[in-house]
Amino acid sequence: MFIVDSYSLAVIFCVVTMLCWGSWGNTQKLAGKTWRYELFYWDYVIGILAFSLLLGFTLGSTGDAGRGFVEDLKQISMENYASAFAGGVIFNLSNILLSASVSMAGLTVAFPLGVGIALVLGVFVNYFGEPKGDAVILFSGVALVVLAIIFNAIAAGKMNQKGSSTNKKGIIIAIIAGVLMSFFYRFVAAAMDLNNFESPTPTMATPYSAFFIFAIGIFISNFIINTIVMKKPFVGTPVSYKEYFQGKFSTHMVGVLGGAIWGLGTALSYIAAGKAGAAISYALGQGAPMIAALWGIFIWKEFKGSSRAVNILLACMFVLFISGLGAIIISGAN
């Protein structure tokens, strides 16, 4: 299988992860013009699962390092299967809630709040599960990100002083999603031998097999979680599976593309974790709110007509995010 053999390459992979995690939401916005997010989410999940298989039979099955994709799946213990699968279930619940919050509060608000909270809590969970990197610098970077989240929340509050209950509900759901999302990465990382991808410990998974099992967890749990949300949606009237199958092929493909984009970012994050460590790899990827906010501000015009004070707050948010991510990168450089 393909492995990362340097910290600099691991950082590059993590930056790509950040771009992917911060950009997939655009496909939801595109599909959302004619397509409910509950229906979009089925295509998104299918895209993740399909991409995990594609990756397993390509990069996961080439080279001399580690074990091949199929060989690895056969030897993983039930405990590690369960851990990676549980990560998928936890992620799915949190991400459905995050998708709901995007549809209610907007990309610029939901992503920085939900994913930002997931970053802060997730770094603690992953660092203490597998310590790697300078803790002082790492958590200083996280502190800067916390400040960025606060600035974003203040800016959103100023924009929504006359906001509807839908926006407020979206913010609350984003917070809940962020807390749940902070735990999924650790469950998947625990199934892998992060210290030795070249000769992984027997019964443990490689990044490619762990990602595939994780994707199965998302897909299977979706039949329960998303079905409930379809029948009792956060916004609007209930939707049915009949409506899903009546969707246009092009609309379905937008959702599949969104899943593939997110899947690429996630897979690269797990592949990079061997060199960068789970906490740093996760933290860099979760810089996605900065990317999502850029999309929301400049492409979707979610802060159009905002006051000078709001613009200053948003500028401060970006500066703090960039500074925090820089500190996180430096924390693992030695």
Side-chain angles (χ1 to χ4, degrees):
M1 66 176 184
F2 173 81
I3 63 171
V4 171
D5 56 5
S6 69
Y7 181 70
S8 58
L9 181 58
V11 168
I12 292 172
F13 273 31
C14 292
V15 170
V16 176
T17 296
M18 179 176 65
L19 294 172
C20 290
W21 283 359
S23 300
W24 74 265
N26 290 303
T27 60
Q28 181 186 340
K29 297 280 282 188
L30 288 170
K33 294 178 179 179
T34 57
W35 199 234
R36 286 278 292 274
Y37 91 88
E38 298 93 341
L39 303 178
F40 161 87
Y41 200 79
W42 273 109
D43 296 323
Y44 172 79
V45 166
I46 291 170
I48 294 173
L49 182 60
F51 186 81
S52 71
L53 275 171
L54 175 65
L55 197 69
F57 285 111
T58 52
L59 293 182
S61 301
T62 59
D64 299 324
R67 292 184 291 262
F69 178 61
V70 175
E71 177 190 355
D72 196 51
L73 286 172
K74 292 178 180 179
Q75 61 82 52
I76 299 172
S77 68
M78 287 305 300
E79 179 183 358
N80 289 322
Y81 261 108
S83 185
F85 186 91
V89 176
I90 294 170
F91 167 79
N92 197 29
L93 177 58
S94 66
N95 206 46
I96 284 179
L97 292 176
L98 181 62
S99 295
S101 69
V102 168
S103 69
M104 290 185 281
L107 195 65
T108 313
V109 175
F111 257 63
L113 284 178
V115 183
I117 290 169
L119 163 63
V120 175
L121 295 178
V123 169
F124 278 93
V125 171
N126 284 286
Y127 184 83
F128 291 111
E130 188 74 32
K132 184 175 284 190
D134 187 301
V136 174
I137 299 176
L138 174 62
F139 290 113
S140 295
V142 171
L144 291 173
V145 174
V146 172
L147 288 175
I149 296 170
I150 293 172
F151 274 77
N152 180 79
I154 295 172
K158 287 183 176 294
M159 286 294 293
N160 292 314
Q161 283 178 345
K162 299 180 181 180
S164 65
S165 59
T166 297
N167 280 343
K168 294 176 182 177
K169 186 178 180 181
I171 289 171
I172 293 171
I173 292 174
I175 292 170
I176 296 171
V179 173
L180 287 171
M181 192 172 287
S182 66
F183 292 97
F184 88 86
Y185 196 94
R186 182 62 211 152
F187 276 88
V188 184
M192 300 185 293
D193 184 358
L194 293 175
N195 295 316
N196 193 356
F197 282 172
E198 293 187 6
S199 300
T201 302
T203 75
M204 299 195 79
T206 66
Y208 303 94
S209 56
F211 178 52
F212 173 65
I213 299 166
F214 166 77
I216 292 176
I218 297 174
F219 181 72
I220 292 178
S221 66
N222 207 49
F223 283 95
I224 298 173
I225 300 171
N226 201 24
T227 298
I228 293 173
V229 175
M230 288 170 67
K231 291 183 177 180
K232 296 183 179 295
F234 291 97
V235 177
T237 57
V239 290
S240 65
Y241 283 103
K242 181 180 179 181
E243 292 176 69
Y244 173 78
F245 289 108
Q246 289 176 340
K248 295 180 180 179
F249 177 78
S250 58
T251 304
H252 286 300
M253 286 299 100
V254 170
V256 172
L257 175 63
I261 291 171
W262 187 89
L264 171 62
T266 306
L268 292 181
S269 180
Y270 288 137
I271 293 168
K275 278 292 179 183
I280 293 173
S281 186
Y282 175 83
L284 287 178
Q286 291 290 33
M290 183 180 67
I291 305 301
L294 285 170
W295 284 108
I297 291 168
F298 295 109
I299 303 300
W300 301 110
K301 308 297 182 183
E302 291 180 344
F303 276 81
K304 185 177 181 180
S306 59
S307 66
R308 183 170 181 270
V310 169
N311 291 332
I312 291 173
L313 287 167
L314 291 173
C316 290
M317 180 195 76
F318 288 126
V319 171
L320 289 165
F321 254 122
I322 292 171
S323 300
L325 293 175
I328 291 168
I329 292 172
I330 294 171
S331 72
N334 296 322

